[in-house]
Amino acid sequence: MTNHEIAAVFEQIADLLEFQGANPFRVRAYRNVARTVHDQTESVADIAADEKRSLSDLEGIGKDLADKIRTLVQTGSLPMLDELRAEVPESVLAILRVPGLGPKRAAQLFHELHVATLEDLRTACESHRVQVLKGFGAKTEAAILQGLGIAAEAEQRILWAEAEEHVEEILAHMGKCRAVQQISVAGSYRRGKETVGDLDFLVVARDVETAMDHFGIFHGVASVLARGPTKMSIRLSAGVQVDLRAVEAKSFGAAMQYFTGSKEHNIILRGRAKALGLKINEYGVFRGEKVIAGRTEEEVYGCLDLPCFPPELREARREFDWAEAGELPKLLEVGDIRGDLHDHSTWTDGQASIEQMAAAAKQRGHKYLAITDHSKRVTMVNGLDAKRILEQWAEIDRLNKRLEGITLLKGVEVDILERGGLDLPDDVLAQADWVVASVHYGHQQSRQQITARVIEALENPYVASIGHPTGRMLLRRKAYEIDMDAVMRAARQHGKMLELNAHPMRLDLDDVACAAAKSLGVPVVIATDAHAVEGLDAMRFGVLQARRGGLTKQDVANTRTWPQLKKMIGKPGQKT
DNA sequence: GCCGTTTTCGGCCCGACTGTTTTCAGTCG
């Protein structure tokens, strides 16, 4: 059972308990265990099976939850969850996702109107049975009807890269308002989460009303959801909710800290403040009535004797421990990257010639670029057989003589075949500078089968790294399932690297997988998988995820020079 | 349900906004 699956079970228990009106702190305990398990870099099932180790050593897991995890991984089910499901139909959980409906009201609808599904809810609203309930009214009923449409829309989160476009536009728009003195983006976007649910902006304005009016006329606005003296919420026609909060300059740092989150990070921070006799809110740090900080985030964290954490690390994982031990990692930066190691050209499905790609890579400051076109198994894109790839490499040799300031690497993205084995013979692979091995077919195979194929590829002496190893596609059903723990261990054993595919929709080594690679000492390759020159710009998305995983320059292979990287590959017959 | 250099019981972050309320509960982040 994967950490992800275990976490999902506890998350569902939390939802069901919340619906039943359980003690909110008990609900939080279940949410916490879900998050803790999800964020673990090792397999929690393995920890549970290891007699020498105790699950209750993990943060927020006591005896009861440890027992429940063990039961779950040993039997594949949990009596408590079965009981809860018997009491509450699972379909009611969808109702909790309707904006404006929380556990209390959802339970009231369920008990008084027998509303168990979104369909029931719509019918109840349309026949105006909802507005007569105590605590509800005509406006609430109308709001629910509107919210139903939103809940029905597919997953409400958007890719970070898409969020970035909205953010830039909104910043540009607000920048034109003369009442705006300062504006910044906070929230999960600032933390670099791979997907973003909504956007949060903080504004310091000479005149808040004018700033809010200006916010309301942004061209992408579909509706204004709420507007008060300090906060305004809109929904963009793209579906994204955007909040604007007006703060005073003397509170700007406190507000940035507060609204950047994460929520869990803030809970720990405020708990610590309380223990020191302080109070933190979005206005500042207070000792009694007296404000002692607030203008900058550095001041706020400084009051608690903490460093100003990079936003990417504010997830209530290890950051407080690191800070206390003075071991906060110096995170990787985009400027540390020296080259891109997974790129395509017009020889297969790329849109730019090798020469165009080289020029674009050089322009982006890269010192080397691996051309890794597909091998012949990928017939749809005219994948290269041995003859054509040798021709391509001869072409690259010729280009390298002409090019200045950038080195092209003779690479290939060799397919890991359905039956195992690679799509090109070893004597061809031996002539490559850089071999990426990837799965593109046989996605329907079992997890064990696909894992075995990938591990076999890691055993090949000429393979340097695995391309998009998890096969994950964000906001879509995942392409295939793989045992990443086993793949990581095999990579370590054979001295191989794993690719963090930086395509904004892939980011297939997520932050937790990055942290796992780091803890095992498996070097991560951040590569864009560019099929056009613009694709090379995706590097920053990969770097952002790597930062969230706590990776430093040292942990990432393509911060090295090509000669250094060559030594790391250590191919047979190539004395290093 | 977890947790403890105040505590094994009694806490558990904190405030804004909305709607239905005559003083506040529910929801949200």
Side-chain angles (χ1 to χ4, degrees), chain A residues 371-391:
Chain A
I371 300 297
T372 54
D373 273 313
H374 292 287
S375 60
K376 63 180 186 300
R377 174 65 185 87
V378 192
T379 44
M380 261 171 59
V381 301
N382 198 19
L384 307 175
D385 59 14
K387 178 163 174 288
R388 286 182 68 220
I389 196 123
L390 291 172
E391 285 170 20

Side-chain angles (χ1 to χ4, degrees), chain A residues 255-333:
Chain A
M256 281 297 281
Q257 194 291 313
Y258 187 91
F259 291 111
T260 296
S262 65
K263 184 176 174 177
E264 292 79 11
H265 175 92
N266 285 355
I267 287 174
I268 294 178
L269 193 74
R270 271 154 248 298
R272 284 174 165 241
K274 204 164 180 175
L276 293 174
L278 303 174
K279 185 179 79 165
I280 304 185
N281 58 27
E282 61 262 55
Y283 302 109
V285 183
F286 296 81
R287 174 170 282 127
E289 295 293 301
K290 189 166 177 279
V291 184
I292 60 173
R295 192 165 287 274
T296 67
E297 284 194 317
E298 285 78 4
E299 275 177 30
V300 171
Y301 281 108
C303 285
L304 300 183
D305 213 15
L306 288 166
C308 184
F309 297 99
E312 295 91 333
L313 291 182
R314 301 181 193 174
E315 294 290 346
R317 290 176 179 164
R318 302 282 313 284
E319 70 268 23
F320 289 100
D321 296 338
W322 284 335
E324 261 167 19
E327 289 168 357
L328 204 61
K330 184 178 181 312
L331 299 180
L332 175 76
E333 287 173 26

